[in-house]
Amino acid sequence: MKYCIVGGVAGGATAAARIRRLDENAVIVLFERGEHISFANCGLPYFIGGTIKERSRLFVTTAEAFRARYRVDVRPGNEVISIDRKAKKIRVREISGGREYDESYDKLLLSPGAEPVKPPIPGIDTEGIFTLRNIPDTDAIRNHLEMKRPESAVVVGGGFIGLEMAENLHHLGIRVTIVEALDQVMTPIDFEMAAEVHRHIRSKNVDLILSDGVKSFARADGGVTVTLASGRTISAGIVILSIGVRPESSLARSSGLDITERGAIVVDDHLKTGDENIYAVGDAVAVMHKVSGTRMSIYLAGPANKQARIVADNMVRGDTRIYRGSAATAIAKVFDLAVASTGLSEKALRAAGIECKSVVTHASSHAGYYPDAKPLSVKLVFSPEGRILGGQIVGYDGVDARIDMIAAVIGMNGTVRDLAELDHAYAPPYSSAKDPVNAAAFAAENIVDGLVRTVNWNEINKHGDTFLLDVRSRNEFSLGSIPGSVNIPVDELRENLAMIPPNRTIIVNCAAGLRGYLASRILMQKGFKDVYNLSGGYKTYESASAGDSGHGEEFVGPDDMTYRKGVAPAGLQTHAAMILDACGLQCPGPIIKLKEAMDGSVEGSELVVVASDPGFIRDVRSWCTLTGNILVSVTEDAGKITAVVRKGARSAENAVVSTGAGETIIVFSDDLDKALAAFVLANGGAAAGKKVTMFFTFWGLSVIKKPRAKGAKKDFLGKMFSLMLPKNSRKLSLSKINMGGMGSMLMRFRMRRKKVESLEKMIDSAAAAGVEMIGCQMSMDIMGVSREELFEFVKIGGVATYLEAASSSGINLFV
Ligand code: FAD
């Protein structure tokens, strides 16, 4: 028997080796267009970033070694250009020299993989723009990095290859901007889970631009200028294009084999094409998705390798084995986070019209009392009857094992009960007696059994006139809450039922979902009819509704080499009198512990707090500023945040004292003249070297709206407000003599004549001068203004953010 194989990497090389193991007498010819067979595609980003040091480590085997061991006729540098199915012959072209020849086959396997998508964006072929698929691409990128030494990079696309490249370029000390046209990275996971990834990426000082696609590329001095749909331009010394891949199926198409609408080769359950003698595997084929039951491309190495083993059996022994499909189980390292998914996301299921329910839970990677527990967020998606349809996990430790637990249950068509009872290995350093995945399944069971109903973070307003009940402790509530919510701690709920309106929809929230569930059970059993628990609690709500407010330059991680703003303090351990372990505690647990410890300490003493909650980086800074304690340093390493705090002269109870160094302006009005006055003062203050903070609230939000913003989905009242409010700064009216818009036109005309900058220019100048502009979260919620409508440089904050700024201001104006 003679077997010809097209493609010599994951699927092709694996199948060739298996065929030899099954048939020692077979003639096997392996054609590979590139110079190398069996290289580690998945390792390429890490070689570029320097984690994998030697290029030779990328080659799992060489053509010579493969020939020697398997006696396979390996032909690198040979491209198969056509198939004569009738004559059972292929035509091959040698890449060097161009000689063409024919090769006969008895059985043919296609494993040609997938190629990066390169849409016809103007300037896409500009020098300095790269895609990453193989060794030559890797060499070209490495060469560019070594020769041109770029200081900045743009990665287009927030999929797993894009994010891996962003991390690796960052690791090389390059300032990275990620541009993603959708409103989230990592499309296999849902938005609220991706929001945790967004926050983490931004905490690394990587600029993440969402909901803005690339309009064009152009050559610029020593690099590339990337222009986005919004009009924003970014200069980069290197651009990595990673906006997706598509099946490389042109050979199959030209030989008349069936191809799906999306360009994948059609195969049956035996991985055979419509031709009796031709099989196909890997990225190029459409296989059964275990959850949707439809055929689709799954661009992952695991499925390609497993299919290769099965197809080799079918080619040698007749069609004896069936490939049962894949749940597309995947994991990626995104800086210190691991992000994993299996099955389908909630949004994918809803888009496909498949009814589903979901739950988000927050737990720790192992028992909270054992040191170094790290946060772990789990989302389960399931049918109303309880069949598991998908799982998503974001965390620092133990993400891989947990996603595989969910994948195993999906593989057996299992239910939330199967997952709740799934055996797992446990000892405190590794897990909890109830593993986080079991615990998520318990929560899902409760939903399926009708013990509780849940709402997602973005469905709070969907139920009309709702009563928002926050059952966390008063301390937790004071550090941030959902606008409009009423705080009754769960332990006091039974005594305070009279405060809860019996005829309204009640949405209960706690920090992570558990106390909310307890409160929901109390209320339901006390006769309240319409009760919902907020899935994932305030933690999910806070991170998903935070918009673009990243940590920016406030925090620089230990692996940030080029633009490091400060170094970790020397002698950290020797300074410190006490170490407080707050790992495993969710926000605001670490802050509460810190406050308790500080209350009992004397001025000048230092405390080292170690926490794993990602929000602690920002919270500890704000808390210190507000309370007059001194943040000596804050560092993060692999998800562990270490802050050194020195007790200040002023205690937490003291009133906020003005230090007089800054200027704070509350912009409440949307009148053009008042907005102009505010920005004149802001720019003046900034020019005088003051730290200026502008807090935009209620009508003032219209001043900082982008000209062509894509708005998020709004409820009815949100839409009404949108219709009535000015669309952006250009649509503002004068507070007096507006005369149906004539007045503001006249004002703008006069300003031009008098060479006074326009309001829009003033806004730009203020942003460039470092004026901090904060959109009031509460006003945004009330007025239905979404994050996407505001300029990227606007941060979102609440009253605590304003108070923090005001406390260091000598001037505090209300416009
Ligand atoms: P490939 O392994 O791509 O092999 C196809 C080969 O066929 C290519 O070398 C090509 O040159 C050759 N070929 C094509 N047409 C012809 C022809 N006409 N004649 C001769 N030769 C031809 N997956 C994961 O699961 N986890 C990861 O972490 C991961 N990371 C990745 C990182 C990168 C940068 C890339 C590019 C991919 C990554 N993948 C990852 C995807 C994974 O590599 C693929 O799913 C897998 O390699 C698919 O195997 P395949 O055999 O179908 O195609």
Side-chain angles (χ1 to χ4, degrees):
M1 251 332 215
K2 182 171 175 186
Y3 301 95
C4 286
I5 300 173
V6 182
V9 190
T14 305
R18 174 82 176 168
I19 292 173
R20 171 58 73 227
R21 287 194 288 268
L22 296 175
D23 183 355
E24 185 58 21
N25 299 317
V27 175
I28 309 169
V29 192
L30 182 65
F31 298 91
E32 169 53 54
R33 183 172 52 203
E35 263 181 66
H36 307 276
I37 63 154
S38 212
F39 62 86
N41 334 42
C42 312
L44 302 179
Y46 299 98
F47 173 62
I48 292 170
T51 303
I52 298 172
K53 301 244 168 325
E54 292 154 41
R55 186 172 177 275
S56 61
R57 301 297 296 262
L58 295 173
F59 304 110
V60 181
T61 186
T62 61
E64 297 71 41
F66 203 75
R67 255 182 229 123
R69 175 142 315 161
Y70 296 106
R71 297 300 142 106
V72 168
D73 182 354
V74 184
R75 299 192 195 166
N78 281 255
E79 181 177 17
V80 177
I81 51 174
S82 63
I83 307 170
D84 182 344
R85 288 167 51 195
K86 240 188 175 160
K88 290 174 69 179
K89 271 192 325 202
I90 50 179
R91 183 126 191 105
V92 185
R93 182 191 297 134
E94 288 175 354
I95 297 290
S96 95
R99 184 181 79 93
E100 291 187 9
Y101 61 94
D102 290 333
E103 194 74 45
S104 65
Y105 64 83
D106 294 313
K107 300 276 178 201
L108 177 66
L109 173 63
L110 305 178
S111 186
E115 59 189 339
V117 173
K118 265 181 105 176
I121 299 173
I124 193 135
D125 292 320
T126 304
E127 192 192 327
I129 302 179
F130 299 87
T131 54
L132 178 62
R133 178 184 182 186
N134 49 31
I135 299 286
D137 296 341
T138 309
D139 290 342
I141 294 171
R142 284 273 300 215
N143 196 32
H144 184 89
L145 293 174
E146 270 154 34
M147 303 300 290
K148 305 272 161 118
R149 304 220 156 256
E151 288 175 6
S152 57
V154 167
V155 173
V156 186
F160 75 89
I161 296 179
L163 296 187
E164 286 174 358
M165 279 307 298
E167 178 186 345
N168 279 286
L169 292 170
H170 168 91
H171 189 62
L172 290 173
I174 296 170
R175 179 172 276 278
V176 180
T177 302
I178 301 170
V179 175
E180 168 58 62
L182 298 175
D183 63 354
Q184 67 163 89
V185 300
M186 304 288 270
T187 42
I189 64 176
D190 287 310
F191 181 85
E192 69 271 32
M193 300 296 280
E196 294 191 29
V197 186
H198 299 164
R199 177 175 275 189
H200 184 67
I201 291 172
R202 288 180 173 132
S203 81
K204 296 289 177 184
N205 249 352
V206 167
D207 196 4
L208 174 62
I209 299 174
L210 299 170
S211 308
D212 205 356
V214 175
K215 198 166 85 182
S216 66
F217 299 103
R219 182 102 190 96
D221 257 0
V224 182
T225 299
V226 185
T227 304
L228 306 185
S230 62
R232 181 171 171 179
T233 58
I234 313 161
S235 300
I238 183 169
V239 174
I240 305 289
L241 202 62
S242 89
I243 47 181
V245 294
R246 66 170 145 246
E248 180 148 354
S249 52
S250 50
L251 179 65
R253 189 191 298 272
S254 64
S255 62
L257 294 172
D258 283 345
I259 304 291
T260 67
E261 261 178 27
R262 290 172 169 249
I265 304 171
V266 174
V267 289
D268 63 15
D269 290 346
H270 297 107
L271 299 165
K272 187 156 68 177
T273 67
D275 184 314
E276 190 58 28
N277 300 303
I278 304 180
Y279 293 76
V281 292
D283 286 359
V285 305
V287 292
M288 189 65 76
H289 191 287
K290 276 187 175 163
V291 171
S292 68
T294 55
R295 291 191 170 264
M296 57 171 72
S297 299
I298 293 177
Y299 304 110
L300 291 168
N305 277 274
K306 286 161 197 148
Q307 290 160 23
R309 197 175 149 82
I310 291 171
V311 90
D313 287 15
N314 288 343
M315 289 171 80
V316 176
R317 296 177 163 170
D319 295 336
T320 51
R321 293 190 60 185
I322 281 181
Y323 180 65
R324 282 173 292 175
S326 163
T329 307
I331 187 163
K333 177 177 178 305
V334 184
F335 295 88
D336 304 328
L337 273 186
V339 184
S341 62
T342 183
L344 290 176
S345 65
E346 186 169 2
K347 66 175 179 297
L349 286 160
R350 292 200 193 283
I354 301 172
E355 205 187 336
C356 66
K357 292 179 180 282
S358 72
V359 69
V360 176
T361 55
H362 301 285
S364 294
S365 53
H366 58 248
Y369 57 81
Y370 187 87
D372 281 350
K374 310 253 174 71
L376 189 91
S377 304
V378 181
K379 176 164 184 174
L380 281 183
V381 190
F382 45 95
S383 71
E385 300 75 38
R387 184 185 157 213
I388 303 275
L389 303 175
Q392 300 157 38
I393 306 185
V394 176
Y396 297 86
D397 254 355
V399 172
D400 47 353
R402 264 99 185 200
I403 202 72
D404 291 347
M405 286 168 74
I406 305 174
V409 172
I410 290 179
M412 59 185 246
N413 219 356
T415 65
V416 294
R417 290 202 208 294
D418 296 314
L419 196 57
E421 290 169 24
L422 195 74
D423 265 358
H424 75 287
Y426 159 63
Y430 303 105
S431 178
S432 298
K434 292 179 216 129
D435 186 84
V437 165
N438 295 137
F442 297 158
E445 259 185 334
N446 292 335
I447 296 171
V448 173
D449 292 345
L451 289 176
V452 67
R453 285 186 292 178
T454 54
V455 287
N456 288 342
W457 70 277
N458 53 355
E459 294 172 338
I460 289 180
N461 298 326
K462 166 176 125 175
H463 294 266
D465 183 24
T466 47
F467 181 77
L468 298 175
L469 174 63
D470 188 320
V471 295
R472 295 174 299 159
S473 68
R474 273 181 259 290
N475 265 339
E476 289 173 273
F477 188 75
S478 67
L479 281 166
S481 61
I482 300 173
S485 54
V486 172
N487 182 220
I488 308 176
V490 65
D491 296 340
E492 299 166 23
L493 186 59
R494 290 180 181 89
E495 291 72 40
N496 289 292
L497 292 175
M499 286 173 64
I500 302 167
N503 298 324
R504 280 167 70 184
T505 300
I506 300 157
I507 296 182
V508 186
N509 85 271
C510 64
L514 180 60
R515 281 173 288 169
Y517 168 61
L518 301 180
S520 300
R521 289 302 301 149
I522 295 172
L523 293 175
M524 288 166 78
Q525 293 181 70
K526 291 286 180 190
F528 290 86
K529 298 257 171 320
D530 212 14
V531 181
Y532 295 84
N533 187 23
L534 177 64
S535 185
Y538 184 68
K539 183 168 176 171
T540 294
Y541 173 86
E542 199 247 344
S543 103
S545 58
D548 282 359
S549 55
H551 303 307
E553 295 193 341
E554 288 173 3
F555 171 74
V556 180
D559 55 348
D560 300 72
M561 294 174 289
T562 308
Y563 39 96
R564 186 191 291 255
K565 289 280 188 288
V567 284
L572 183 114
Q573 301 294 338
T574 51
H575 265 79
M578 193 177 141
I579 294 180
L580 191 69
D581 182 4
C583 286
L585 295 181
Q586 316 279 349
C587 168
I591 287 290
I592 291 168
K593 265 195 127 182
L594 170 63
K595 180 182 181 303
E596 285 165 3
M598 278 313 223
D599 284 351
S601 62
V602 294
E603 189 185 331
S605 62
E606 283 185 3
L607 185 72
V608 177
V609 197
V610 186
S612 53
D613 179 13
F616 185 66
I617 294 172
R618 198 185 35 186
D619 291 348
V620 68
R621 189 176 295 276
S622 295
W623 184 83
C624 285
T625 314
L626 274 173
T627 56
N629 292 297
I630 297 146
L631 182 63
V632 180
S633 69
V634 58
T635 53
E636 192 226 0
D637 189 16
K640 203 154 100 179
I641 298 146
T642 306
V644 181
V645 181
R646 188 178 304 141
K647 173 89 172 184
R650 180 161 56 86
S651 80
E653 285 71 40
N654 283 357
V656 163
V657 177
S658 166
T659 59
E663 177 180 321
T664 317
I665 305 172
I666 302 175
V667 185
F668 173 79
S669 161
D670 62 0
D671 292 332
L672 174 64
D673 37 357
K674 292 181 184 167
L676 280 167
F679 275 96
V680 167
L681 292 168
N683 280 323
K690 282 187 183 296
K691 165 95 183 81
V692 182
T693 306
M694 301 179 82
F695 192 73
F696 294 83
T697 182
F698 287 95
W699 318 114
L701 289 168
S702 298
V703 182
I704 44 169
K705 282 186 187 164
K706 287 191 284 201
R708 285 176 300 277
K710 270 195 284 166
K713 277 193 192 139
K714 297 188 180 199
D715 60 13
F716 175 71
L717 284 176
K719 281 186 195 145
M720 292 296 288
F721 270 117
S722 266
L723 282 175
M724 291 182 298
L725 291 171
K727 296 257 171 303
N728 53 60
S729 61
R730 291 184 190 281
K731 308 285 176 204
L732 304 186
S733 318
L734 285 182
S735 61
K736 291 199 167 74
I737 56 165
N738 189 48
M739 300 178 298
M742 285 290 288
S744 52
M745 276 169 64
L746 199 64
M747 170 73 89
R748 284 182 181 271
F749 175 71
R750 288 282 294 165
M751 284 168 66
R752 266 200 308 276
R753 290 288 296 270
K754 296 279 174 193
K755 304 238 177 320
V756 177
E757 280 191 337
S758 66
L759 175 59
E760 292 66 41
K761 276 241 166 74
M762 286 193 204
I763 297 174
D764 285 348
S765 309
V771 171
E772 188 171 43
M773 295 181 224
I774 300 170
C776 168
Q777 177 74 68
M778 186 268 295
S779 312
M780 288 170 66
D781 289 338
I782 292 176
M783 309 194 64
V785 177
S786 66
R787 175 67 190 93
E788 297 76 31
E789 290 175 84
L790 305 183
F791 289 115
E792 276 79 18
F793 48 71
V794 173
K795 292 184 179 172
I796 308 303
V799 70
T801 323
Y802 161 70
L803 283 175
E804 186 195 330
S807 67
S808 58
S809 295
I811 304 169
N812 198 352
L813 302 166
F814 187 92
V815 181

